[in-house]
């Protein structure tokens, strides 16, 4: 690793980690789209149960969204708080 400082290497690895954490948003996005589609189909089949179907669908989507939000929080922490760089500097190497 000639020509690259340890700090730059740690920041690069943090950026890669943040990108990997954002991949966690793909699953909830697909799941929420699928749930909304199935909910709309269910309301189409049973319009009288619209309230119950919508309530259950929204609860499920809220739970599924937590994974995406968790990934976003981790990415923000890695990019802006830089805990790995701070830990490296505190080591005094």
């Amino acid at each position: 690793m000639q020509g690259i400082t340890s700090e730059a290497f740690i920041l690069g690895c943090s950026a890669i980690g943040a990108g990997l954490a954002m991949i966690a948003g793909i699953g909830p996005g697909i799941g929420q789209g699928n749930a909304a589609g199935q909910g709309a189909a269910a309301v189409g089949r049973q319009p009288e149960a619209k309230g119950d179907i919508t309530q259950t669908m929204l609860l499920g989507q809220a739970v599924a969204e937590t994974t995406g939000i968790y990934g976003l929080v981790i990415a923000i922490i890695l990019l802006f708080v830089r805990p790995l760089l701070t830990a490296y500097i505190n080591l005094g190497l």
Side-chain angles (χ1 to χ4, degrees):
M1 291 195 326
Q2 295 179 351
I4 185 170
T5 64
S6 298
E7 290 84 6
F9 181 73
I10 291 171
L11 289 176
C13 289
S14 294
I16 291 171
L20 290 174
M22 289 309 301
I23 291 175
I26 293 173
I30 293 172
Q32 288 176 351
N34 189 19
Q38 296 297 322
V43 169
R45 285 191 306 269
Q46 294 179 336
E48 66 277 0
K50 177 182 176 185
D52 292 336
I53 293 169
T54 303
Q55 182 180 10
T56 304
M57 179 187 70
L58 290 177
L59 180 64
Q61 287 183 341
V63 171
E65 185 63 28
T66 57
T67 307
I69 292 173
Y70 181 71
L72 177 65
V73 169
I74 295 298
I76 288 172
I77 289 172
L78 284 174
L79 289 177
F80 296 111
V81 179
R82 300 176 178 172
L84 301 176
L85 185 60
T86 303
Y88 176 74
I89 290 172
N90 288 338
L91 286 176
L93 297 177

